[in-house]
Amino acid sequence: MRLPAEYASHTRATGSNLYSQLWKILKPPMTLLSEPAAILNIARNVLTIEAAAVSALAARLDATFNAAHELLLNCRARVVVSGMGKSGHIANKIAATLASTGTPAFFLHPAEASHGDLGMITDDDVIVALSNSGESPEILAIVPFLKRRGIKFVALTGNPRSTLAREATVHLDTSVEKEACPLNLAPTASTTAALALGDALAISLLEARGFSEQDFALTHPGGALGKRLLIRIADLMHSGERLPRVTEHASLHEALLEMTRKGLGATAVVDDANKLIGIFTDGDLRRTLETNADLRGVKIAAVMTRTPRTLHADKLAAEAAQLMQQRQITCVLIVDAENRLVGALHTHDLMRAGVI
């Protein structure tokens, strides 16, 4: 709003905040939105509407869901998920969930598809197309290509009478009573319902494939679960020249030098055939100092801990972490089937690898 020149000159002359005063008078009322209780009510209403949409979707599931499940389960190639706008964001997430739970899948942008990306689709793929209206032109432009190639597709729409629903091999109804948006325009409840149905498909396929925790770890090697289930002791242990060891004939002085060189706070003690007979740790050193006034001439065999806890190299690093925590130790020795020393593992190794 432009003020008359005399108002502006008065403002400049007097330094009064005339514009601010007029804005306070003319601005639209905002009192309802400024109250915390009102904001919470809005948020609760959104969550209630979206929860009701998902509940209604669950109640009307029927044999068409089984048909869609079988179509995806028997897919000999990849599941290609596509959608435009907000439906595209949901489609992208559904593709990611499918891929990480045992069903190879990827997202195809429908606008890009009509400009060459249809070449990504093979005759053995199955398409999952999302469109709340069922009339998205970018999605419908792909349909003739699918029909011509005999490629089957599942449509998730909010309109069972739409073009996309009629043309689909299997149609899943994701319609909602209303959006959470007070204008009933912004996709909110409808996108939530589509996302939930996509998750239902992914998990039903996971169960049907017998997809295990180990399988999940293989597709998530960078996550905490992958590290717990995939990393083995052999991947982390100190071996060869990095492995601290002395023979049973060594002196305490020689053992301390070996501990200092290798930096693990312990050294293995082996016989002449490299079979483990004991371990000497920082804790053993403290106990030795308490009982021996003169350490010269002390043999390591006299002060070591015999029959220490050991593990095999093919065990999961998570098992080593559990043993260390239970026994309150920082280093565990690794042996083979004949009790020959092959490695040592420190808690720092587990921490660096993200196992603990």
Side-chain angles (χ1 to χ4, degrees):
M1 179 182 71
R2 181 181 296 275
L3 294 175
E6 61 269 21
Y7 279 75
S9 61
H10 174 73
T11 300
R12 288 192 295 272
T14 64
S16 63
N17 196 358
L18 181 59
Y19 281 102
S20 296
Q21 294 173 21
L22 286 173
W23 173 246
K24 289 179 182 178
I25 297 172
L26 298 175
K27 72 175 181 179
M30 299 289 287
T31 53
L32 287 179
L33 294 182
S34 65
E35 296 179 6
I39 294 172
L40 287 176
N41 284 336
I42 293 170
R44 291 189 180 104
N45 187 53
V46 170
L47 296 176
T48 299
I49 291 172
E50 296 196 359
V54 174
S55 295
L57 185 62
R60 66 171 182 266
L61 283 183
D62 55 21
T64 57
F65 182 88
N66 296 97
H69 167 92
E70 290 298 320
L71 198 58
L72 300 184
L73 182 63
N74 295 323
C75 176
R76 293 176 293 177
R78 295 86 41 87
V79 174
V80 183
V81 193
S82 190
M84 193 69 192
K86 302 300 184 295
S87 293
H89 294 302
I90 299 302
N92 211 332
K93 192 275 179 185
I94 291 173
T97 301
L98 287 168
S100 69
T101 53
T103 300
F106 68 90
F107 171 75
L108 176 66
H109 196 292
E112 299 293 342
S114 295
H115 294 274
D117 282 1
L118 282 175
M120 297 179 179
I121 301 176
T122 73
D123 291 346
D124 292 327
D125 292 335
V126 173
I127 313 301
V128 175
L130 280 71
S131 170
N132 188 44
S133 67
E135 302 294 345
S136 301
E138 298 86 354
I139 291 288
L140 292 180
I142 302 174
V143 173
F145 168 84
L146 301 179
K147 294 289 186 177
R148 194 161 54 245
R149 297 271 295 272
I151 299 171
K152 297 179 180 180
F153 74 97
V154 177
L156 277 65
T157 83
N159 183 3
R161 294 178 296 278
S162 64
T163 304
L164 188 62
R166 291 195 308 270
E167 296 294 335
T169 310
V170 179
H171 173 250
L172 296 178
D173 181 6
T174 60
S175 59
V176 298
E177 182 179 345
K178 61 179 178 178
E179 299 287 4
C181 165
L183 304 176
N184 201 33
L185 294 175
T188 46
S190 59
T191 49
T192 300
L195 177 62
L197 191 57
D199 286 342
L201 282 169
I203 301 307
S204 70
L205 292 167
L206 176 151
E207 294 277 4
R209 298 184 194 282
F211 194 78
S212 68
E213 193 177 58
Q214 285 73 24
D215 295 323
F216 190 88
L218 288 172
T219 58
H220 297 75
L225 177 63
K227 290 173 181 176
R228 290 201 310 271
L229 294 180
L230 296 179
I231 297 179
R232 301 200 174 268
I233 290 173
D235 300 323
L236 305 177
M237 70 182 188
H238 298 256
S239 59
E241 292 300 318
R242 300 168 58 225
L243 175 58
R245 79 180 109 195
V246 295
T247 69
E248 58 188 321
H249 311 297
S251 66
L252 175 59
H253 177 70
E254 291 171 323
L256 292 176
L257 289 177
E258 180 72 353
M259 290 171 64
T260 301
R261 282 192 295 264
K262 303 303 170 60
L264 295 186
T267 182
V269 183
V270 298
D271 63 15
D272 294 335
N274 196 41
K275 289 191 175 182
L276 182 67
I277 59 174
I279 188 172
F280 189 78
T281 67
D282 289 336
D284 292 317
L285 176 59
R286 288 191 295 271
R287 287 185 287 273
T288 301
L289 290 172
E290 291 172 357
T291 58
N292 290 270
D294 186 2
L295 299 182
R296 291 174 298 179
V298 174
K299 295 295 184 181
I300 194 64
V303 292
M304 69 181 181
T305 297
R306 294 185 178 274
T307 61
R309 296 279 178 169
T310 61
L311 289 169
H312 294 304
D314 61 346
K315 295 294 184 181
L316 291 172
E319 293 185 46
Q322 183 181 31
L323 175 63
M324 291 180 183
Q325 291 169 351
Q326 288 177 344
R327 306 298 298 180
Q328 295 185 330
I329 56 178
T330 58
C331 184
V332 64
L333 299 176
I334 314 304
V335 297
D336 63 14
E338 281 74 42
N339 202 43
R340 287 189 294 263
L341 182 70
V342 296
L345 189 66
H346 196 277
T347 52
H348 291 166
D349 303 316
L350 299 172
M351 293 172 67
R352 279 192 292 269
V355 177
I356 58 174

